[in-house]
Amino acid sequence: MTSRSPDAGAARPHASAAGFGQRLAEHVERRRSQIVLGLDPDPSRLWPDAVAADGAARRGDADPAQSAASAVQSHCRLVLEAAAAECVAAKFQLACFERLGAPGWAALATLVDDAREHGLLVIADAKRGDIDFSATAYGQAFFGGLPTPFGAIRGLGADALTVSPLLGRDSVAAFIAAARNARGGVFVLVRTSNPGAAEVQDQALAAGGSVSDGLAALVDALGADGAGPAGISDVGAVVGATVPEHLARLREAMPAAPLLLPGVGAQGGSVAALAPAFAPGAAGGLIAASRGIVDAFAGPCGGVPAAAARAEAGRLRELAWTLSHRQ
């Protein structure tokens, strides 16, 4: 299994006039990977080397939030150094940084820049959903920033954002507009990986089909004018890898949407069951793995955390790449 040197410049946002779907397709081909490295750090479960090397984390008189954020940043940097070359994107779970207060957000902003230096696209896993006015504000925060009478305020600079469609078409459209202003994309929650998703998302609609089917139709309609030459739209969908029985039907309803597929590894999802995701091409499916990569050293094979993470990310990359090219 061989690692490739990351193309550090390729993932920088706004590097070309291409929209997110086209940039994603080109990046997948360039890096020969569909693996998304999930970063959802728990301050109590960091790699030992991160805590040992972080001075702020070892100071007894330091502010707890600052110490935790500093250690989390060191941990995520080590994970990126270990596994980024096998991946196409990094997905930051915003809750894991926001709970650390202002130091957590500062650490996140630094790590977004680090991920980009490793050549990765950046997905902000925020699952935001609000009325159009607030959705626009969220978009400015996560994408390109905000011009003000006091000067420009920099946004997080993400390439894509996960959004909740509960408030309907107008709220999702506002997120999409904000994303497109920065040549970014959105991933709309359609059928999530958690067990409780069935309580809502599998419920039947009066017009026929399930709630997930209705959301898939919304994704397809909103992304119809966002596909690039590669046929991949800038409006994607989150579909859990834990529910492959829904995948073929949802893919048929969203033929151009890139599918973000969480749940491989710790949640029990299998790469082998995800073939329908790749119907529109290699960039049609993005396989998100977090604990499965980061905690690989704690599995049966053991080993040094960095080496185990690199090996597991490489194993997933080869499985997904092979599967996608059988379509």
PDB file of all heavy atoms in Angstrom, residues 14-56:
ATOM      1  N   HIS A  14     -11.687  28.363  -4.019  1.00  0.00           N
ATOM      2  CA  HIS A  14     -11.743  29.441  -4.989  1.00  0.00           C
ATOM      3  C   HIS A  14     -10.528  29.465  -5.911  1.00  0.00           C
ATOM      4  O   HIS A  14     -10.190  30.495  -6.480  1.00  0.00           O
ATOM      5  CB  HIS A  14     -11.882  30.802  -4.305  1.00  0.00           C
ATOM      6  CG  HIS A  14     -12.604  30.743  -2.992  1.00  0.00           C
ATOM      7  ND1 HIS A  14     -13.674  29.924  -2.782  1.00  0.00           N
ATOM      8  CD2 HIS A  14     -12.394  31.388  -1.818  1.00  0.00           C
ATOM      9  CE1 HIS A  14     -14.103  30.073  -1.538  1.00  0.00           C
ATOM     10  NE2 HIS A  14     -13.339  30.935  -0.945  1.00  0.00           N
ATOM     11  N   ALA A  15      -9.816  28.315  -6.045  1.00  0.00           N
ATOM     12  CA  ALA A  15      -8.619  28.293  -6.884  1.00  0.00           C
ATOM     13  C   ALA A  15      -8.971  28.403  -8.357  1.00  0.00           C
ATOM     14  O   ALA A  15      -8.138  28.731  -9.178  1.00  0.00           O
ATOM     15  CB  ALA A  15      -7.837  27.010  -6.624  1.00  0.00           C
ATOM     16  N   SER A  16     -10.226  28.104  -8.721  1.00  0.00           N
ATOM     17  CA  SER A  16     -10.641  28.210 -10.108  1.00  0.00           C
ATOM     18  C   SER A  16     -12.094  28.627 -10.130  1.00  0.00           C
ATOM     19  O   SER A  16     -12.740  28.767  -9.101  1.00  0.00           O
ATOM     20  CB  SER A  16     -10.468  26.850 -10.816  1.00  0.00           C
ATOM     21  OG  SER A  16     -11.455  25.951 -10.374  1.00  0.00           O
ATOM     22  N   ALA A  17     -12.624  28.836 -11.331  1.00  0.00           N
ATOM     23  CA  ALA A  17     -14.023  29.240 -11.451  1.00  0.00           C
ATOM     24  C   ALA A  17     -14.973  28.058 -11.335  1.00  0.00           C
ATOM     25  O   ALA A  17     -16.179  28.242 -11.318  1.00  0.00           O
ATOM     26  CB  ALA A  17     -14.229  29.954 -12.786  1.00  0.00           C
ATOM     27  N   ALA A  18     -14.451  26.848 -11.277  1.00  0.00           N
ATOM     28  CA  ALA A  18     -15.299  25.665 -11.222  1.00  0.00           C
ATOM     29  C   ALA A  18     -16.091  25.636  -9.925  1.00  0.00           C
ATOM     30  O   ALA A  18     -15.618  26.053  -8.869  1.00  0.00           O
ATOM     31  CB  ALA A  18     -14.443  24.406 -11.349  1.00  0.00           C
ATOM     32  N   GLY A  19     -17.320  25.127 -10.001  1.00  0.00           N
ATOM     33  CA  GLY A  19     -18.128  24.954  -8.814  1.00  0.00           C
ATOM     34  C   GLY A  19     -17.659  23.771  -7.997  1.00  0.00           C
ATOM     35  O   GLY A  19     -16.775  23.008  -8.397  1.00  0.00           O
ATOM     36  N   PHE A  20     -18.303  23.586  -6.842  1.00  0.00           N
ATOM     37  CA  PHE A  20     -17.842  22.565  -5.914  1.00  0.00           C
ATOM     38  C   PHE A  20     -17.886  21.163  -6.509  1.00  0.00           C
ATOM     39  O   PHE A  20     -16.956  20.375  -6.323  1.00  0.00           O
ATOM     40  CB  PHE A  20     -18.679  22.604  -4.634  1.00  0.00           C
ATOM     41  CG  PHE A  20     -18.350  21.489  -3.683  1.00  0.00           C
ATOM     42  CD1 PHE A  20     -17.170  21.498  -2.972  1.00  0.00           C
ATOM     43  CD2 PHE A  20     -19.226  20.415  -3.523  1.00  0.00           C
ATOM     44  CE1 PHE A  20     -16.851  20.461  -2.106  1.00  0.00           C
ATOM     45  CE2 PHE A  20     -18.921  19.383  -2.657  1.00  0.00           C
ATOM     46  CZ  PHE A  20     -17.729  19.403  -1.937  1.00  0.00           C
ATOM     47  N   GLY A  21     -18.958  20.833  -7.213  1.00  0.00           N
ATOM     48  CA  GLY A  21     -19.065  19.483  -7.768  1.00  0.00           C
ATOM     49  C   GLY A  21     -17.933  19.152  -8.710  1.00  0.00           C
ATOM     50  O   GLY A  21     -17.363  18.057  -8.663  1.00  0.00           O
ATOM     51  N   GLN A  22     -17.577  20.103  -9.572  1.00  0.00           N
ATOM     52  CA  GLN A  22     -16.478  19.879 -10.500  1.00  0.00           C
ATOM     53  C   GLN A  22     -15.143  19.822  -9.757  1.00  0.00           C
ATOM     54  O   GLN A  22     -14.288  18.974 -10.060  1.00  0.00           O
ATOM     55  CB  GLN A  22     -16.445  20.973 -11.565  1.00  0.00           C
ATOM     56  CG  GLN A  22     -15.429  20.749 -12.665  1.00  0.00           C
ATOM     57  CD  GLN A  22     -15.719  19.494 -13.491  1.00  0.00           C
ATOM     58  OE1 GLN A  22     -16.866  19.029 -13.542  1.00  0.00           O
ATOM     59  NE2 GLN A  22     -14.696  18.943 -14.114  1.00  0.00           N
ATOM     60  N   ARG A  23     -14.953  20.713  -8.804  1.00  0.00           N
ATOM     61  CA  ARG A  23     -13.711  20.690  -8.030  1.00  0.00           C
ATOM     62  C   ARG A  23     -13.574  19.372  -7.284  1.00  0.00           C
ATOM     63  O   ARG A  23     -12.484  18.792  -7.196  1.00  0.00           O
ATOM     64  CB  ARG A  23     -13.673  21.856  -7.039  1.00  0.00           C
ATOM     65  CG  ARG A  23     -13.569  23.213  -7.687  1.00  0.00           C
ATOM     66  CD  ARG A  23     -13.104  24.282  -6.705  1.00  0.00           C
ATOM     67  NE  ARG A  23     -14.015  24.515  -5.609  1.00  0.00           N
ATOM     68  CZ  ARG A  23     -13.715  24.351  -4.318  1.00  0.00           C
ATOM     69  NH1 ARG A  23     -12.524  23.914  -3.972  1.00  0.00           N
ATOM     70  NH2 ARG A  23     -14.607  24.623  -3.379  1.00  0.00           N
ATOM     71  N   LEU A  24     -14.695  18.880  -6.740  1.00  0.00           N
ATOM     72  CA  LEU A  24     -14.673  17.606  -6.035  1.00  0.00           C
ATOM     73  C   LEU A  24     -14.282  16.475  -6.974  1.00  0.00           C
ATOM     74  O   LEU A  24     -13.421  15.642  -6.644  1.00  0.00           O
ATOM     75  CB  LEU A  24     -16.047  17.336  -5.420  1.00  0.00           C
ATOM     76  CG  LEU A  24     -16.253  15.955  -4.800  1.00  0.00           C
ATOM     77  CD1 LEU A  24     -15.302  15.732  -3.640  1.00  0.00           C
ATOM     78  CD2 LEU A  24     -17.709  15.783  -4.354  1.00  0.00           C
ATOM     79  N   ALA A  25     -14.915  16.422  -8.143  1.00  0.00           N
ATOM     80  CA  ALA A  25     -14.611  15.351  -9.095  1.00  0.00           C
ATOM     81  C   ALA A  25     -13.140  15.362  -9.500  1.00  0.00           C
ATOM     82  O   ALA A  25     -12.484  14.310  -9.560  1.00  0.00           O
ATOM     83  CB  ALA A  25     -15.506  15.488 -10.332  1.00  0.00           C
ATOM     84  N   GLU A  26     -12.619  16.553  -9.758  1.00  0.00           N
ATOM     85  CA  GLU A  26     -11.213  16.658 -10.153  1.00  0.00           C
ATOM     86  C   GLU A  26     -10.287  16.271  -9.012  1.00  0.00           C
ATOM     87  O   GLU A  26      -9.248  15.623  -9.223  1.00  0.00           O
ATOM     88  CB  GLU A  26     -10.916  18.085 -10.616  1.00  0.00           C
ATOM     89  CG  GLU A  26     -11.626  18.456 -11.918  1.00  0.00           C
ATOM     90  CD  GLU A  26     -11.500  19.923 -12.262  1.00  0.00           C
ATOM     91  OE1 GLU A  26     -10.869  20.678 -11.466  1.00  0.00           O
ATOM     92  OE2 GLU A  26     -12.018  20.335 -13.327  1.00  0.00           O
ATOM     93  N   HIS A  27     -10.672  16.628  -7.804  1.00  0.00           N
ATOM     94  CA  HIS A  27      -9.824  16.329  -6.650  1.00  0.00           C
ATOM     95  C   HIS A  27      -9.808  14.834  -6.341  1.00  0.00           C
ATOM     96  O   HIS A  27      -8.766  14.276  -5.981  1.00  0.00           O
ATOM     97  CB  HIS A  27     -10.305  17.129  -5.447  1.00  0.00           C
ATOM     98  CG  HIS A  27      -9.221  17.434  -4.462  1.00  0.00           C
ATOM     99  ND1 HIS A  27      -8.075  18.102  -4.794  1.00  0.00           N
ATOM    100  CD2 HIS A  27      -9.106  17.135  -3.143  1.00  0.00           C
ATOM    101  CE1 HIS A  27      -7.299  18.210  -3.741  1.00  0.00           C
ATOM    102  NE2 HIS A  27      -7.908  17.627  -2.716  1.00  0.00           N
ATOM    103  N   VAL A  28     -10.956  14.191  -6.465  1.00  0.00           N
ATOM    104  CA  VAL A  28     -11.018  12.743  -6.270  1.00  0.00           C
ATOM    105  C   VAL A  28     -10.097  12.036  -7.254  1.00  0.00           C
ATOM    106  O   VAL A  28      -9.340  11.128  -6.895  1.00  0.00           O
ATOM    107  CB  VAL A  28     -12.468  12.239  -6.403  1.00  0.00           C
ATOM    108  CG1 VAL A  28     -12.515  10.726  -6.570  1.00  0.00           C
ATOM    109  CG2 VAL A  28     -13.284  12.653  -5.171  1.00  0.00           C
ATOM    110  N   GLU A  29     -10.143  12.446  -8.514  1.00  0.00           N
ATOM    111  CA  GLU A  29      -9.290  11.814  -9.522  1.00  0.00           C
ATOM    112  C   GLU A  29      -7.815  12.095  -9.255  1.00  0.00           C
ATOM    113  O   GLU A  29      -6.967  11.216  -9.406  1.00  0.00           O
ATOM    114  CB  GLU A  29      -9.667  12.310 -10.922  1.00  0.00           C
ATOM    115  CG  GLU A  29     -11.000  11.786 -11.423  1.00  0.00           C
ATOM    116  CD  GLU A  29     -11.018  10.273 -11.572  1.00  0.00           C
ATOM    117  OE1 GLU A  29      -9.961   9.679 -11.903  1.00  0.00           O
ATOM    118  OE2 GLU A  29     -12.086   9.670 -11.332  1.00  0.00           O
ATOM    119  N   ARG A  30      -7.517  13.297  -8.833  1.00  0.00           N
ATOM    120  CA  ARG A  30      -6.123  13.676  -8.601  1.00  0.00           C
ATOM    121  C   ARG A  30      -5.525  12.865  -7.448  1.00  0.00           C
ATOM    122  O   ARG A  30      -4.390  12.403  -7.518  1.00  0.00           O
ATOM    123  CB  ARG A  30      -6.038  15.168  -8.302  1.00  0.00           C
ATOM    124  CG  ARG A  30      -4.630  15.708  -8.129  1.00  0.00           C
ATOM    125  CD  ARG A  30      -4.650  17.196  -7.842  1.00  0.00           C
ATOM    126  NE  ARG A  30      -5.227  17.942  -8.955  1.00  0.00           N
ATOM    127  CZ  ARG A  30      -6.357  18.628  -8.906  1.00  0.00           C
ATOM    128  NH1 ARG A  30      -7.068  18.656  -7.786  1.00  0.00           N
ATOM    129  NH2 ARG A  30      -6.815  19.274  -9.948  1.00  0.00           N
ATOM    130  N   ARG A  31      -6.296  12.707  -6.383  1.00  0.00           N
ATOM    131  CA  ARG A  31      -5.783  12.024  -5.197  1.00  0.00           C
ATOM    132  C   ARG A  31      -6.106  10.536  -5.189  1.00  0.00           C
ATOM    133  O   ARG A  31      -5.645   9.817  -4.298  1.00  0.00           O
ATOM    134  CB  ARG A  31      -6.326  12.700  -3.941  1.00  0.00           C
ATOM    135  CG  ARG A  31      -5.793  14.117  -3.770  1.00  0.00           C
ATOM    136  CD  ARG A  31      -6.295  14.759  -2.503  1.00  0.00           C
ATOM    137  NE  ARG A  31      -5.697  14.209  -1.293  1.00  0.00           N
ATOM    138  CZ  ARG A  31      -4.570  14.660  -0.746  1.00  0.00           C
ATOM    139  NH1 ARG A  31      -3.900  15.638  -1.314  1.00  0.00           N
ATOM    140  NH2 ARG A  31      -4.119  14.132   0.374  1.00  0.00           N
ATOM    141  N   ARG A  32      -6.927  10.098  -6.141  1.00  0.00           N
ATOM    142  CA  ARG A  32      -7.315   8.692  -6.236  1.00  0.00           C
ATOM    143  C   ARG A  32      -7.863   8.193  -4.890  1.00  0.00           C
ATOM    144  O   ARG A  32      -7.505   7.132  -4.394  1.00  0.00           O
ATOM    145  CB  ARG A  32      -6.135   7.827  -6.703  1.00  0.00           C
ATOM    146  CG  ARG A  32      -5.652   8.168  -8.103  1.00  0.00           C
ATOM    147  CD  ARG A  32      -4.435   7.356  -8.499  1.00  0.00           C
ATOM    148  NE  ARG A  32      -4.734   5.939  -8.562  1.00  0.00           N
ATOM    149  CZ  ARG A  32      -5.271   5.316  -9.610  1.00  0.00           C
ATOM    150  NH1 ARG A  32      -5.601   6.003 -10.697  1.00  0.00           N
ATOM    151  NH2 ARG A  32      -5.487   4.008  -9.583  1.00  0.00           N
ATOM    152  N   SER A  33      -8.755   8.995  -4.347  1.00  0.00           N
ATOM    153  CA  SER A  33      -9.322   8.661  -3.041  1.00  0.00           C
ATOM    154  C   SER A  33     -10.721   9.232  -2.926  1.00  0.00           C
ATOM    155  O   SER A  33     -11.015  10.310  -3.447  1.00  0.00           O
ATOM    156  CB  SER A  33      -8.452   9.223  -1.916  1.00  0.00           C
ATOM    157  OG  SER A  33      -9.046   8.972  -0.645  1.00  0.00           O
ATOM    158  N   GLN A  34     -11.589   8.501  -2.205  1.00  0.00           N
ATOM    159  CA  GLN A  34     -12.915   8.984  -1.838  1.00  0.00           C
ATOM    160  C   GLN A  34     -13.104   8.950  -0.324  1.00  0.00           C
ATOM    161  O   GLN A  34     -14.223   9.012   0.172  1.00  0.00           O
ATOM    162  CB  GLN A  34     -14.001   8.122  -2.499  1.00  0.00           C
ATOM    163  CG  GLN A  34     -13.945   8.134  -4.014  1.00  0.00           C
ATOM    164  CD  GLN A  34     -13.475   6.792  -4.557  1.00  0.00           C
ATOM    165  OE1 GLN A  34     -12.588   6.157  -4.007  1.00  0.00           O
ATOM    166  NE2 GLN A  34     -14.079   6.350  -5.650  1.00  0.00           N
ATOM    167  N   ILE A  35     -11.997   8.869   0.422  1.00  0.00           N
ATOM    168  CA  ILE A  35     -12.072   8.761   1.869  1.00  0.00           C
ATOM    169  C   ILE A  35     -12.052  10.144   2.501  1.00  0.00           C
ATOM    170  O   ILE A  35     -11.204  10.978   2.195  1.00  0.00           O
ATOM    171  CB  ILE A  35     -10.903   7.909   2.421  1.00  0.00           C
ATOM    172  CG1 ILE A  35     -10.915   6.517   1.762  1.00  0.00           C
ATOM    173  CG2 ILE A  35     -10.991   7.794   3.935  1.00  0.00           C
ATOM    174  CD1 ILE A  35     -12.218   5.756   1.915  1.00  0.00           C
ATOM    175  N   VAL A  36     -13.013  10.367   3.385  1.00  0.00           N
ATOM    176  CA  VAL A  36     -13.113  11.615   4.142  1.00  0.00           C
ATOM    177  C   VAL A  36     -12.682  11.317   5.579  1.00  0.00           C
ATOM    178  O   VAL A  36     -13.280  10.474   6.250  1.00  0.00           O
ATOM    179  CB  VAL A  36     -14.548  12.165   4.106  1.00  0.00           C
ATOM    180  CG1 VAL A  36     -14.674  13.387   5.006  1.00  0.00           C
ATOM    181  CG2 VAL A  36     -14.956  12.502   2.677  1.00  0.00           C
ATOM    182  N   LEU A  37     -11.652  11.993   6.010  1.00  0.00           N
ATOM    183  CA  LEU A  37     -11.119  11.799   7.359  1.00  0.00           C
ATOM    184  C   LEU A  37     -11.962  12.589   8.347  1.00  0.00           C
ATOM    185  O   LEU A  37     -11.953  13.821   8.340  1.00  0.00           O
ATOM    186  CB  LEU A  37      -9.663  12.265   7.402  1.00  0.00           C
ATOM    187  CG  LEU A  37      -8.959  12.234   8.762  1.00  0.00           C
ATOM    188  CD1 LEU A  37      -8.909  10.811   9.308  1.00  0.00           C
ATOM    189  CD2 LEU A  37      -7.565  12.833   8.653  1.00  0.00           C
ATOM    190  N   GLY A  38     -12.697  11.891   9.182  1.00  0.00           N
ATOM    191  CA  GLY A  38     -13.531  12.552  10.170  1.00  0.00           C
ATOM    192  C   GLY A  38     -12.736  12.918  11.409  1.00  0.00           C
ATOM    193  O   GLY A  38     -12.042  12.080  11.990  1.00  0.00           O
ATOM    194  N   LEU A  39     -12.830  14.174  11.818  1.00  0.00           N
ATOM    195  CA  LEU A  39     -12.137  14.656  13.010  1.00  0.00           C
ATOM    196  C   LEU A  39     -13.182  15.133  14.009  1.00  0.00           C
ATOM    197  O   LEU A  39     -13.782  16.189  13.851  1.00  0.00           O
ATOM    198  CB  LEU A  39     -11.170  15.784  12.641  1.00  0.00           C
ATOM    199  CG  LEU A  39      -9.976  15.325  11.776  1.00  0.00           C
ATOM    200  CD1 LEU A  39      -9.217  16.515  11.223  1.00  0.00           C
ATOM    201  CD2 LEU A  39      -9.048  14.426  12.573  1.00  0.00           C
ATOM    202  N   ASP A  40     -13.429  14.307  15.013  1.00  0.00           N
ATOM    203  CA  ASP A  40     -14.401  14.631  16.057  1.00  0.00           C
ATOM    204  C   ASP A  40     -13.753  14.366  17.417  1.00  0.00           C
ATOM    205  O   ASP A  40     -14.148  13.462  18.142  1.00  0.00           O
ATOM    206  CB  ASP A  40     -15.707  13.851  15.878  1.00  0.00           C
ATOM    207  CG  ASP A  40     -15.494  12.362  15.643  1.00  0.00           C
ATOM    208  OD1 ASP A  40     -14.331  11.898  15.664  1.00  0.00           O
ATOM    209  OD2 ASP A  40     -16.498  11.646  15.466  1.00  0.00           O
ATOM    210  N   PRO A  41     -12.755  15.169  17.774  1.00  0.00           N
ATOM    211  CA  PRO A  41     -11.901  14.864  18.925  1.00  0.00           C
ATOM    212  C   PRO A  41     -12.605  14.986  20.267  1.00  0.00           C
ATOM    213  O   PRO A  41     -13.381  15.903  20.513  1.00  0.00           O
ATOM    214  CB  PRO A  41     -10.778  15.898  18.798  1.00  0.00           C
ATOM    215  CG  PRO A  41     -11.409  17.044  18.068  1.00  0.00           C
ATOM    216  CD  PRO A  41     -12.344  16.406  17.083  1.00  0.00           C
ATOM    217  N   ASP A  42     -12.282  14.036  21.137  1.00  0.00           N
ATOM    218  CA  ASP A  42     -12.739  14.025  22.522  1.00  0.00           C
ATOM    219  C   ASP A  42     -11.514  14.310  23.393  1.00  0.00           C
ATOM    220  O   ASP A  42     -10.537  13.562  23.346  1.00  0.00           O
ATOM    221  CB  ASP A  42     -13.324  12.653  22.850  1.00  0.00           C
ATOM    222  CG  ASP A  42     -13.819  12.536  24.278  1.00  0.00           C
ATOM    223  OD1 ASP A  42     -13.468  13.389  25.112  1.00  0.00           O
ATOM    224  OD2 ASP A  42     -14.551  11.579  24.567  1.00  0.00           O
ATOM    225  N   PRO A  43     -11.511  15.390  24.180  1.00  0.00           N
ATOM    226  CA  PRO A  43     -10.326  15.715  24.978  1.00  0.00           C
ATOM    227  C   PRO A  43      -9.865  14.602  25.915  1.00  0.00           C
ATOM    228  O   PRO A  43      -8.705  14.586  26.332  1.00  0.00           O
ATOM    229  CB  PRO A  43     -10.760  16.956  25.777  1.00  0.00           C
ATOM    230  CG  PRO A  43     -11.836  17.573  24.959  1.00  0.00           C
ATOM    231  CD  PRO A  43     -12.567  16.410  24.317  1.00  0.00           C
ATOM    232  N   SER A  44     -10.755  13.673  26.235  1.00  0.00           N
ATOM    233  CA  SER A  44     -10.377  12.575  27.128  1.00  0.00           C
ATOM    234  C   SER A  44      -9.887  11.348  26.367  1.00  0.00           C
ATOM    235  O   SER A  44      -9.512  10.348  26.993  1.00  0.00           O
ATOM    236  CB  SER A  44     -11.563  12.184  28.016  1.00  0.00           C
ATOM    237  OG  SER A  44     -12.616  11.636  27.236  1.00  0.00           O
ATOM    238  N   ARG A  45      -9.879  11.418  25.020  1.00  0.00           N
ATOM    239  CA  ARG A  45      -9.470  10.257  24.222  1.00  0.00           C
ATOM    240  C   ARG A  45      -8.525  10.690  23.089  1.00  0.00           C
ATOM    241  O   ARG A  45      -8.718  10.330  21.938  1.00  0.00           O
ATOM    242  CB  ARG A  45     -10.703   9.563  23.626  1.00  0.00           C
ATOM    243  CG  ARG A  45     -11.606   8.912  24.661  1.00  0.00           C
ATOM    244  CD  ARG A  45     -12.880   8.377  24.017  1.00  0.00           C
ATOM    245  NE  ARG A  45     -12.588   7.464  22.924  1.00  0.00           N
ATOM    246  CZ  ARG A  45     -12.379   6.162  23.053  1.00  0.00           C
ATOM    247  NH1 ARG A  45     -12.388   5.613  24.265  1.00  0.00           N
ATOM    248  NH2 ARG A  45     -12.146   5.408  22.001  1.00  0.00           N
ATOM    249  N   LEU A  46      -7.512  11.439  23.443  1.00  0.00           N
ATOM    250  CA  LEU A  46      -6.560  11.919  22.458  1.00  0.00           C
ATOM    251  C   LEU A  46      -5.379  10.959  22.354  1.00  0.00           C
ATOM    252  O   LEU A  46      -5.102  10.182  23.274  1.00  0.00           O
ATOM    253  CB  LEU A  46      -6.054  13.315  22.850  1.00  0.00           C
ATOM    254  CG  LEU A  46      -7.127  14.381  23.058  1.00  0.00           C
ATOM    255  CD1 LEU A  46      -6.485  15.684  23.503  1.00  0.00           C
ATOM    256  CD2 LEU A  46      -7.955  14.586  21.791  1.00  0.00           C
ATOM    257  N   TRP A  47      -4.674  11.032  21.236  1.00  0.00           N
ATOM    258  CA  TRP A  47      -3.469  10.221  21.101  1.00  0.00           C
ATOM    259  C   TRP A  47      -2.473  10.627  22.192  1.00  0.00           C
ATOM    260  O   TRP A  47      -2.263  11.830  22.441  1.00  0.00           O
ATOM    261  CB  TRP A  47      -2.847  10.435  19.731  1.00  0.00           C
ATOM    262  CG  TRP A  47      -3.546   9.709  18.620  1.00  0.00           C
ATOM    263  CD1 TRP A  47      -4.656   8.936  18.707  1.00  0.00           C
ATOM    264  CD2 TRP A  47      -3.152   9.704  17.246  1.00  0.00           C
ATOM    265  NE1 TRP A  47      -5.004   8.442  17.480  1.00  0.00           N
ATOM    266  CE2 TRP A  47      -4.091   8.902  16.562  1.00  0.00           C
ATOM    267  CE3 TRP A  47      -2.125  10.308  16.529  1.00  0.00           C
ATOM    268  CZ2 TRP A  47      -4.010   8.671  15.187  1.00  0.00           C
ATOM    269  CZ3 TRP A  47      -2.040  10.089  15.167  1.00  0.00           C
ATOM    270  CH2 TRP A  47      -2.975   9.270  14.496  1.00  0.00           C
ATOM    271  N   PRO A  48      -1.862   9.652  22.860  1.00  0.00           N
ATOM    272  CA  PRO A  48      -0.916   9.979  23.940  1.00  0.00           C
ATOM    273  C   PRO A  48       0.181  10.944  23.516  1.00  0.00           C
ATOM    274  O   PRO A  48       0.560  11.832  24.290  1.00  0.00           O
ATOM    275  CB  PRO A  48      -0.345   8.607  24.322  1.00  0.00           C
ATOM    276  CG  PRO A  48      -1.416   7.630  23.928  1.00  0.00           C
ATOM    277  CD  PRO A  48      -2.038   8.202  22.688  1.00  0.00           C
ATOM    278  N   ASP A  49       0.680  10.807  22.298  1.00  0.00           N
ATOM    279  CA  ASP A  49       1.755  11.690  21.840  1.00  0.00           C
ATOM    280  C   ASP A  49       1.303  13.143  21.771  1.00  0.00           C
ATOM    281  O   ASP A  49       2.110  14.062  21.957  1.00  0.00           O
ATOM    282  CB  ASP A  49       2.254  11.256  20.461  1.00  0.00           C
ATOM    283  CG  ASP A  49       3.091   9.981  20.527  1.00  0.00           C
ATOM    284  OD1 ASP A  49       3.412   9.542  21.655  1.00  0.00           O
ATOM    285  OD2 ASP A  49       3.413   9.431  19.460  1.00  0.00           O
ATOM    286  N   ALA A  50       0.011  13.362  21.509  1.00  0.00           N
ATOM    287  CA  ALA A  50      -0.489  14.736  21.412  1.00  0.00           C
ATOM    288  C   ALA A  50      -0.442  15.417  22.766  1.00  0.00           C
ATOM    289  O   ALA A  50      -0.011  16.565  22.890  1.00  0.00           O
ATOM    290  CB  ALA A  50      -1.913  14.734  20.860  1.00  0.00           C
ATOM    291  N   VAL A  51      -0.878  14.729  23.794  1.00  0.00           N
ATOM    292  CA  VAL A  51      -0.885  15.306  25.136  1.00  0.00           C
ATOM    293  C   VAL A  51       0.538  15.470  25.649  1.00  0.00           C
ATOM    294  O   VAL A  51       0.898  16.492  26.236  1.00  0.00           O
ATOM    295  CB  VAL A  51      -1.714  14.437  26.091  1.00  0.00           C
ATOM    296  CG1 VAL A  51      -1.694  15.015  27.501  1.00  0.00           C
ATOM    297  CG2 VAL A  51      -3.151  14.317  25.588  1.00  0.00           C
ATOM    298  N   ALA A  52       1.368  14.472  25.401  1.00  0.00           N
ATOM    299  CA  ALA A  52       2.749  14.522  25.889  1.00  0.00           C
ATOM    300  C   ALA A  52       3.527  15.674  25.269  1.00  0.00           C
ATOM    301  O   ALA A  52       4.385  16.287  25.917  1.00  0.00           O
ATOM    302  CB  ALA A  52       3.449  13.195  25.589  1.00  0.00           C
ATOM    303  N   ALA A  53       3.232  15.986  24.008  1.00  0.00           N
ATOM    304  CA  ALA A  53       3.989  17.011  23.301  1.00  0.00           C
ATOM    305  C   ALA A  53       3.432  18.410  23.496  1.00  0.00           C
ATOM    306  O   ALA A  53       4.090  19.387  23.142  1.00  0.00           O
ATOM    307  CB  ALA A  53       4.035  16.684  21.804  1.00  0.00           C
ATOM    308  N   ASP A  54       2.239  18.531  24.047  1.00  0.00           N
ATOM    309  CA  ASP A  54       1.583  19.827  24.121  1.00  0.00           C
ATOM    310  C   ASP A  54       1.842  20.485  25.475  1.00  0.00           C
ATOM    311  O   ASP A  54       1.350  20.037  26.507  1.00  0.00           O
ATOM    312  CB  ASP A  54       0.077  19.673  23.889  1.00  0.00           C
ATOM    313  CG  ASP A  54      -0.592  21.008  23.675  1.00  0.00           C
ATOM    314  OD1 ASP A  54      -0.959  21.633  24.672  1.00  0.00           O
ATOM    315  OD2 ASP A  54      -0.705  21.438  22.506  1.00  0.00           O
ATOM    316  N   GLY A  55       2.604  21.564  25.467  1.00  0.00           N
ATOM    317  CA  GLY A  55       2.961  22.236  26.711  1.00  0.00           C
ATOM    318  C   GLY A  55       1.767  22.804  27.443  1.00  0.00           C
ATOM    319  O   GLY A  55       1.660  22.699  28.661  1.00  0.00           O
ATOM    320  N   ALA A  56       0.835  23.419  26.714  1.00  0.00           N
ATOM    321  CA  ALA A  56      -0.334  24.021  27.356  1.00  0.00           C
ATOM    322  C   ALA A  56      -1.176  22.969  28.066  1.00  0.00           C
ATOM    323  O   ALA A  56      -1.768  23.238  29.117  1.00  0.00           O
ATOM    324  CB  ALA A  56      -1.174  24.766  26.319  1.00  0.00           C
TER     325      ALA A  56
END
